[in-house]
Amino acid sequence: MATDIVSQLADSLAKTGVEDGELSYKGQGQKLDDAQSVGEMVKEIQDFEGLQALRLEGNTVGLEAAQAIAKALETKKDFKRCHWSDMFTGRLRSEIPPSLISLGDALMSAGARLTVLDLSDNAFGPDGVKGIEKLLKSPSCFTLQELRLNNCGMGIGGGKILAASLIQCHKKSSTEGTPLCLKVFVAGRNRLENEGAKALAQAFQLMGSLEEVHMPQNGINHPGVTALATAMQHNAGLRILNLNDNTFTEKGAIAMAQALKNLRSVQVINFGDCLVRPAGAKAIAETVSEGLPILKDLNLSYGEITDKAALAVAEAVKGKDQLEKLDLNGNCLGEDGCRAVKEAMEGINMGDILGSLSDDEGEPEEDDEDEDDDDEDEDDLDEELEEEEEEEEEEEEEEEEEEEEEENISNKFSTPPSAPRPPDVASFLSFPSPDKLLKLGTKRALLIEQQVNVSDAAKTAEAFLKIASVYKEDSSDVKAAVLESVDALLKKAFSSASFQGYNFVSSLLVLLGLIKSEDKVKPVLVVPGHLQALEHVVQQDYFPKESVAVLEAFMSRNSKTLESCGSARNKLQSTMQKLRAES
């Protein structure tokens, strides 16, 4: 009896969060389509005196339901924290902006003063940013301290709208004597690229109040990195800077190293997978040696850093009493280089701080005495080639748009259109995006089949994940294109007598980070689309039923790599359980 009472009390407290004025429906997986479906929630919101926070993560909210919730929030003047990540799964993209506008209008009507706005994992694109544009410019956001928009698909356009809104908010709030002092900015996986990063850098420089900046995996190259570096110099209180998986090259790394020299509060630097290369690593080492007195975590993994540059970094951390971790894994040190770095760290009594070097790529192919100088020259050339390729891709996209316009005009006057540009499968598989997949046309499945060597189970698993990464539940065209492509690829693979299905599943688990690899394979960043596409695959006749049990066993484990895919993971597990029960 006592146990039941304690359990009920714990559930009640978990739901209402009385101590900090929080009402939580987090992770309940409710499908809230209309006003009737949120009737009980609306009443609880209305009855909650002094409501400060509302958690809606892990539910799916339709337009009518959002409008009903918004109506209930119109009187909540004490409201401060919007925990609204992952709340539009399965909704049409056209539904999301009006839902956000309704919620934003309600908060403005209530006279709320927000401190936290979290809309991560909603994949609403640039239009979604427009949905919060008015709110961001309003007095309700003059007090905003944390803005979290991770994995929202904002793109360059959304990044520019967001930057302009923050600049306007700062200007308006400054005229009232309370300038916007944003402390935490999170916008990973948004395809912001250089132009989006440059726009946001202007806002960051103006505010000068940031303590945490998380912008991993945004396709930012050295022009955008350099702009961010300039902005960071104006944020003296910066503690955490995470730009993982963008492409610095030397120019970006050197600019960032210079910017960090005068920042005394930095504790965490994550430049992993940023291609900082030897010259960039040496510049960062110099900054570490001369400053950053309270640095705790330095990640320079997977950056094509050679042994001499890595040694410079190891020597630079000497005397950093608060350092807890140095990550140099996945670079190009070679066996001797790895040994030298380990000995250097042990020599300054910091051997336990050095992370694993198990994924080291080995020494570069060319091993000249002046390899650093040669590398710098080659890197400059590589960088120019990368920039030219990017410019060519942008020009191609612009030309395609112009061709479409010209085609429309020429059709109007009965003039035959020009021949379409041939689709580029390699470009899609290198840098997947929904638009690129759709532009491959109706023969996309065949084109992908021809591009991927399906006799190689590992490459097939990698290709599957790249295709699945662009899956969108709220876009019927993209969803159909993804499923059609993975079906064609995997049906061809599993129908081959030489294809090893077990190796495919093993490779898939390695890439998803669910098992460790002996071949230094780096896991991907798992997104819901991976699991949503996989849920489709396991139900197909071509997929071996014995492999379902293997996948289910690993998916049921408590893994951090799947934490951001809660609802997709739960649905996949449920589907696999049903399949096993039926077999």
Side-chain angles (χ1 to χ4, degrees):
M1 183 68 179
T3 303
D4 291 341
I5 294 172
V6 171
S7 178
Q8 291 172 11
L9 180 59
D11 290 343
S12 177
L13 288 172
K15 184 177 182 181
T16 60
V18 174
E19 290 183 359
D20 60 359
E22 181 179 287
L23 186 59
S24 177
Y25 301 90
K26 180 178 179 180
Q28 294 185 10
Q30 295 189 59
K31 192 171 187 293
L32 308 171
D33 295 326
D34 48 32
Q36 183 178 356
S37 65
V38 292
E40 183 180 346
M41 182 186 296
V42 165
K43 187 176 186 307
E44 290 181 343
I45 292 172
Q46 291 171 336
D47 293 344
F48 199 123
E49 293 293 333
L51 180 65
Q52 295 182 25
L54 177 63
R55 288 190 172 274
L56 295 173
E57 311 103 306
N59 299 285
T60 175
V61 182
L63 177 56
E64 288 185 25
Q67 290 171 337
I69 294 169
K71 187 69 177 174
L73 289 171
E74 286 181 353
T75 60
K76 302 301 176 182
K77 61 182 178 62
D78 297 323
F79 196 82
K80 295 180 180 179
R81 303 187 298 281
C82 306
H83 297 287
W84 297 345
S85 64
D86 189 22
M87 61 178 267
F88 294 117
T89 299
R91 299 294 169 182
L92 295 174
R93 182 168 287 190
S94 58
E95 285 185 87
I96 301 176
S99 297
L100 292 172
I101 289 170
S102 296
L103 292 164
D105 286 348
L107 297 175
M108 289 186 282
S109 297
R113 292 293 183 268
L114 299 183
T115 57
V116 177
L117 178 58
D118 185 356
L119 290 167
S120 297
D121 300 316
N122 279 312
F124 47 51
D127 290 341
V129 186
K130 291 178 182 178
I132 59 172
E133 184 177 6
K134 184 179 175 183
L135 174 64
L136 287 172
K137 294 178 179 179
S138 75
S140 288
C141 283
F142 287 1
T143 51
L144 195 63
Q145 295 180 14
E146 297 183 18
L147 179 58
R148 300 177 182 272
L149 297 169
N150 200 59
N151 192 31
C152 287
M154 290 190 288
I156 295 173
K160 289 182 174 180
I161 295 168
L162 177 61
S165 301
L166 291 173
I167 289 171
Q168 190 68 16
C169 181
H170 185 271
K171 288 180 178 178
K172 286 183 176 180
S173 58
S174 296
T175 59
E176 294 192 7
T178 56
L180 172 66
C181 290
L182 191 68
K183 293 181 180 180
V184 177
F185 180 83
V186 181
R189 291 186 59 82
N190 271 293
R191 300 294 303 173
L192 294 170
E193 301 183 16
N194 289 333
E195 294 307 309
K198 287 179 181 178
L200 286 164
Q202 293 177 3
F204 296 165
Q205 184 168 332
L206 183 64
M207 291 184 294
S209 55
L210 289 168
E211 296 180 4
E212 295 186 27
V213 175
H214 302 264
M215 296 174 66
Q217 207 169 6
N218 268 297
I220 306 170
N221 300 321
H222 83 77
V225 173
T226 300
L228 290 171
T230 301
M232 292 306 107
Q233 294 182 63
H234 296 267
N235 289 265
L238 187 69
R239 294 185 298 105
I240 299 174
L241 182 57
N242 176 8
L243 295 174
N244 187 283
D245 202 4
N246 290 290
T247 308
F248 282 35
T249 65
E250 294 92 333
K251 288 183 180 178
I254 290 170
M256 194 60 74
Q258 289 294 324
L260 291 170
K261 278 189 174 180
N262 297 319
L263 298 178
R264 311 291 294 176
S265 301
V266 175
Q267 298 177 11
V268 177
I269 296 173
N270 187 344
F271 296 162
D273 225 350
C274 285
L275 208 67
V276 299
R277 293 177 171 161
K282 288 179 179 179
I284 293 168
E286 182 181 331
T287 294
V288 172
S289 177
E290 296 176 359
L292 304 176
I294 59 172
L295 186 64
K296 291 184 177 181
D297 191 329
L298 176 59
N299 185 346
L300 296 176
S301 59
Y302 300 94
E304 291 191 0
I305 299 170
T306 54
D307 54 353
K308 293 179 182 178
L311 274 172
V313 174
E315 291 166 0
V317 301
K318 182 179 181 180
K320 302 297 171 186
D321 297 335
Q322 296 191 38
L323 191 67
E324 297 173 358
K325 184 176 181 183
L326 171 62
D327 191 346
L328 292 170
N329 202 14
N331 283 299
C332 306
L333 312 186
E335 290 185 13
D336 291 341
C338 287
R339 190 180 304 110
V341 168
K342 289 177 181 178
E343 289 174 355
M345 292 296 288
E346 289 169 359
I348 56 175
N349 296 319
M350 300 179 82
D352 57 334
I353 290 170
L354 180 65
S356 170
L357 298 176
S358 60
D359 289 347
D360 187 74
E361 298 289 340
E363 295 179 13
E365 290 182 7
E366 294 184 8
D367 189 19
D368 301 327
E369 290 182 3
D370 298 327
E371 70 175 326
D372 287 348
D373 294 335
D374 292 340
D375 284 348
E376 288 174 18
D377 293 336
E378 290 171 6
D379 291 342
D380 287 340
L381 179 59
D382 289 343
E383 186 175 329
E384 289 171 10
L385 291 172
E386 288 169 3
E387 290 171 15
E388 288 173 6
E389 288 172 0
E390 290 163 7
E391 289 171 2
E392 286 172 3
E393 287 180 7
E394 291 173 1
E395 288 171 4
E396 286 174 4
E397 290 175 1
E398 290 173 1
E399 288 171 9
E400 285 174 1
E401 292 173 0
E402 290 172 3
E403 286 175 4
E404 288 175 3
E405 291 177 4
E406 290 171 4
E407 184 177 339
N408 291 335
I409 294 171
S410 61
N411 285 340
K412 199 172 182 181
F413 293 97
S414 301
T415 304
S418 58
R421 183 182 303 277
D424 187 354
V425 184
S427 175
F428 166 72
L429 290 174
S430 297
F431 301 100
S433 74
D435 289 341
K436 286 183 181 179
L437 181 62
L438 293 178
K439 284 179 180 177
L440 291 177
T442 56
K443 293 184 178 180
R444 66 179 68 86
L446 177 61
L447 293 169
I448 290 172
E449 272 186 58
Q450 294 171 345
Q451 183 73 21
V452 179
N453 179 11
V454 295
S455 64
D456 188 321
K459 289 181 179 177
T460 304
E462 184 179 351
F464 163 72
L465 290 177
K466 286 185 175 181
I467 300 168
S469 69
V470 305
Y471 181 99
K472 287 186 177 181
E473 186 68 39
D474 57 356
S475 173
S476 57
D477 289 344
V478 175
K479 178 179 177 180
V482 168
L483 298 184
E484 174 195 16
S485 300
V486 298
D487 278 343
L489 176 69
L490 297 184
K491 189 173 183 180
K492 181 179 179 181
F494 281 105
S495 63
S496 171
S498 61
F499 186 73
Q500 296 180 318
Y502 177 79
N503 286 347
F504 170 81
V505 174
S506 298
S507 298
L508 197 61
L509 293 171
V510 167
L511 290 167
L512 292 173
L514 297 176
I515 59 176
K516 291 184 178 180
S517 166
E518 296 180 357
D519 300 319
K520 303 178 182 177
V521 176
K522 186 184 176 188
V524 302
L525 181 62
V526 184
V527 296
H530 289 141
L531 306 189
Q532 289 165 324
L534 189 56
E535 186 206 355
H536 167 83
V537 166
V538 298
Q539 298 178 72
Q540 306 310 305
D541 292 339
Y542 61 73
F543 193 80
K545 297 302 178 237
E546 60 269 19
S547 295
V548 174
V550 177
L551 284 173
E552 184 188 357
F554 283 95
M555 287 290 172
S556 62
R557 293 182 178 181
N558 187 17
S559 172
K560 289 184 178 180
T561 64
L562 304 180
E563 282 181 353
S564 62
C565 308
S567 56
R569 177 188 186 181
N570 292 340
K571 196 172 178 186
L572 172 59
Q573 286 180 300
S574 176
T575 298
M576 290 192 293
Q577 288 170 0
K578 289 179 183 177
L579 289 172
R580 282 211 309 122
E582 292 169 0
S583 61

